Amino acid sequence: MAAAAKPTVAARPAAQQQAPRLATRHLGAGATLLASKRGDLSRVHAVIQDGAKLDRPLRVAIVGGGPAGACAAEECAKAGCETYMIERKMDNCKPCGGAIPLCMIDEFDLPSEIIDRKVNRMKMISPSNVEVDIGETLKPTEYIGMTRREILDDFLRKRAEEKGTKVINGLFMGMDQQEGEKGPWTMKINEYDAVNGNEKGMKKTELEVDVVIGADGANSRVAKIIGAGDYDYAIAYQERIAIDDKKMDFYENLAEMYVGDDVSPDFYGWVFPKYDHVGVGTGTVINKPAIKQYQNAIRSRAGDKIEGGKIIKIEAHPIPEHPRPKRIQGRVALVGDAAGYVTKCSGEGIYFAAKSGRMAGEAIAAGSANGQRMVGERDLRKYLSKWDRTYWPTYKVLDILQKVFYRSNAAREAFVEMCSSQYVQRMTFDSYLYKTVVPGNPLDDIKLLFSTIGSILRANALRVTDGPSVTFGKREGQA
């Protein structure tokens, strides 16, 4: 079929107000047109080459409305792209410690009201219940922010919406490219009732976009569709426990981390303070079926400090253990948990999710000249290159630390002893709060090396074994 001088694309009908609106838009130069009929609609499909100038804004769909998706949507909408964010559960309470570094509060302009607690004291508690207080090296203005995910995520989504993002409350079912790799993506969505946000009155909707950002978590459907590959994942399990005011005062600005085979064979257990309760949880990669056993152990280890508390919510969720083999495919990018951006050793993911979403959004904004040109895989890979260049050292260091110190109770005892060093505390907090791998003093590093070796040797000498211990990296079903 011959293309008209100014060809147009008819958008699919909208189901509700927030869904894609009816519009007739002009295609840009460089577009190859194919016509087809679907039902009563005459449909024009466009295959647009990378870099081609558009006569309508670039259309971007973000699947997932957590920190990664919301920050990606904000950047795309701010740049003038026609931006859609698809989120299934608007009040999602992810089982997450909720700790965010100081740099995130400033960098992402987060208001004080979403911070439940400002933690400037931590206790590291060894398998033999040796406690080490951490935080002496912090400046008066430095702290770790504790937040609830439903509060943080809602704030970031609303800010993206204020910038022009169209938020679709619905379940993402799948997507396909009917015109090949340079053609548009057709998103299939089960859109929820606009008033009640539930499945009553749910309507199947289709949305056609140019670019897709997968921010849909560890079980990402977007990742599966592009063949991004599998990864190991942990199960995180958390109970929100309401305790009395006196016990809550103890956790005013204090967080606790417990290590030991009893609370996790390859991670740690935590008690983190929130607004009116504490989050008590643990996680594991290598023995997921025993997660409730480990949860019972962390409650037992916390003991009197949470005794008599009422469990107000139980949460469980998969957490990725390393980046996926593939994070970019054509005009699709993965960010946050969908990409595998959770650190070893600490299990931190909120900051890295938000940062990866922002970086992907910035790459799309730059590559599209603020929504005026078609982007391609080369543009999206600029986000990936910047991400790996900036954060790969952090992930590598934490991976090594986990392999060294979480492999046995003896190593965990050494780890907690090492944390008593003010030098270690300063290096750790500087790296965590400001998200950089801080270069150390060579002489102090040598002293620390010998001190750590000594700690491990002493712990091994005192160790009593009743049987083989679990070592890091062993998989389920392995002999």
Side-chain angles (χ1 to χ4, degrees):
M1 175 184 288
K6 286 194 175 181
T8 59
V9 172
R12 296 190 177 186
Q16 292 166 15
Q17 214 169 8
Q18 287 184 320
R21 60 185 181 277
L22 281 166
T24 302
R25 301 187 180 281
H26 291 285
L27 294 175
T32 304
L33 302 178
L34 299 169
S36 70
K37 280 212 166 193
R38 303 247 172 96
D40 296 329
L41 277 179
S42 291
R43 186 82 190 282
V44 182
H45 300 273
V47 176
I48 307 178
Q49 299 304 314
D50 299 349
K53 186 169 175 54
L54 300 170
D55 289 336
R56 43 85 178 171
L58 185 77
R59 304 185 84 194
V60 183
I62 293 99
V63 182
C71 291
E74 181 182 356
E75 292 302 317
C76 291
K78 205 164 60 174
C81 299
E82 188 173 330
T83 307
Y84 300 84
M85 179 166 55
I86 305 159
E87 171 56 38
R88 175 180 65 90
K89 196 168 173 56
M90 295 298 183
D91 60 349
N92 186 38
C93 304
K94 187 177 177 181
C96 174
I100 57 176
L102 189 62
C103 65
M104 181 175 180
I105 295 166
D106 293 333
E107 188 177 343
F108 288 84
D109 196 22
L110 301 178
S112 59
E113 56 265 26
I114 72 166
I115 308 298
D116 285 344
R117 303 275 175 173
K118 295 181 178 181
V119 167
N120 54 24
R121 295 169 51 236
M122 292 191 74
K123 280 186 185 292
M124 284 290 300
I125 303 167
S126 78
S128 61
N129 284 325
V130 172
E131 297 184 1
V132 170
D133 290 318
I134 300 175
E136 295 176 7
T137 62
L138 287 178
K139 298 171 186 174
T141 56
E142 292 181 325
Y143 62 89
I144 298 169
M146 291 291 170
T147 186
R148 287 163 289 165
R149 282 293 302 272
E150 64 270 27
I151 303 297
L152 173 66
D153 294 11
D154 182 63
F155 169 78
L156 294 173
R157 276 196 299 268
K158 284 178 177 173
R159 188 163 70 182
E161 195 169 14
E162 287 168 4
K163 299 294 182 184
T165 300
K166 300 168 185 67
V167 179
I168 301 173
N169 184 198
L171 178 63
F172 170 68
M173 300 303 294
M175 63 186 195
D176 56 42
Q177 273 183 309
Q178 297 162 6
E179 276 46 80
E181 64 176 16
K182 300 297 182 183
W185 281 99
T186 300
M187 318 295 289
K188 301 179 189 331
I189 308 159
N190 285 349
E191 193 169 359
Y192 296 157
D193 179 90
V195 177
N196 301 312
N198 58 37
E199 295 186 21
K200 278 192 173 181
M202 182 179 69
K203 186 170 184 178
K204 292 183 178 180
T205 305
E206 290 188 349
L207 168 67
E208 191 175 274
V209 297
D210 304 304
V211 184
V212 178
I213 296 179
D216 48 338
N219 292 325
S220 171
R221 286 186 175 180
V222 175
K224 288 182 176 67
I225 289 166
I226 67 168
D230 295 325
Y231 49 26
D232 286 337
Y233 66 93
I235 288 293
Y237 190 98
Q238 178 175 265
E239 294 168 335
R240 298 190 185 198
I241 301 179
I243 54 180
D244 64 44
D245 291 344
K246 188 175 180 181
K247 288 183 170 69
M248 203 69 218
D249 287 344
F250 175 77
Y251 289 108
E252 173 68 26
N253 60 345
L254 170 71
E256 293 180 322
M257 295 173 64
Y258 294 79
V259 292
D261 276 341
D262 58 337
V263 297
S264 175
D266 54 338
F267 202 54
Y268 63 87
W270 65 84
V271 181
F272 287 172
K274 301 302 175 72
Y275 173 67
D276 57 357
H277 64 276
V278 288
V280 181
T282 185
T284 180
V285 177
I286 64 177
N287 195 8
K288 300 179 187 74
I291 188 66
K292 289 188 178 180
Q293 172 189 322
Y294 300 135
Q295 181 66 18
N296 290 338
I298 180 64
R299 281 204 311 268
S300 177
R301 290 275 297 274
D304 294 343
K305 289 172 286 188
I306 63 169
E307 189 178 7
K310 180 183 177 183
I311 298 173
I312 56 178
K313 194 171 186 63
I314 298 174
E315 305 153 332
H317 202 271
I319 305 294
E321 273 291 288
H322 57 78
R324 287 189 189 270
K326 184 194 294 182
R327 290 166 282 162
I328 301 283
Q329 175 69 45
R331 293 170 183 166
V332 181
L334 301 177
V335 294
D337 282 12
Y341 295 149
V342 176
T343 60
K344 294 285 187 73
C345 196
S346 67
E348 183 194 0
I350 297 176
Y351 174 80
F352 294 111
K355 189 67 176 179
S356 63
R358 175 173 280 186
M359 282 185 175
E362 288 171 342
I364 290 170
S368 69
N370 292 331
Q372 299 178 71
R373 292 185 177 277
M374 180 58 68
V375 297
E377 182 170 321
R378 188 172 181 179
D379 299 299
L380 297 181
R381 287 202 172 276
K382 290 178 182 176
Y383 132 66
L384 207 56
S385 298
K386 184 179 179 182
W387 172 268
D388 288 345
R389 190 170 60 249
T390 305
Y391 296 114
W392 183 255
T394 298
Y395 278 76
K396 197 64 181 172
V397 167
L398 290 171
D399 185 27
I400 292 169
L401 285 175
Q402 181 161 352
K403 287 175 179 174
V404 171
F405 290 113
Y406 284 11
R407 61 191 174 87
S408 69
N409 275 352
R412 294 182 187 101
E413 294 284 355
F415 178 56
V416 173
E417 183 178 331
M418 184 180 72
C419 288
S420 65
S421 161
Q422 288 202 3
Y423 175 66
V424 171
Q425 291 186 28
R426 180 175 60 81
M427 294 282 288
T428 302
F429 271 113
D430 284 355
S431 297
Y432 174 78
L433 294 176
Y434 304 108
K435 287 294 162 280
T436 56
V437 176
V438 178
N441 178 292
L443 181 59
D444 286 335
D445 286 342
I446 293 170
K447 289 179 182 176
L448 177 61
L449 173 63
F450 282 105
S451 174
T452 303
I453 293 171
S455 295
I456 293 174
L457 290 174
R458 284 194 300 278
N460 274 309
L462 294 171
R463 181 180 174 197
V464 177
T465 57
D466 296 321
S469 65
V470 181
T471 58
F472 177 81
K474 189 181 289 183
R475 300 173 188 273
E476 293 174 35
Q478 218 175 5

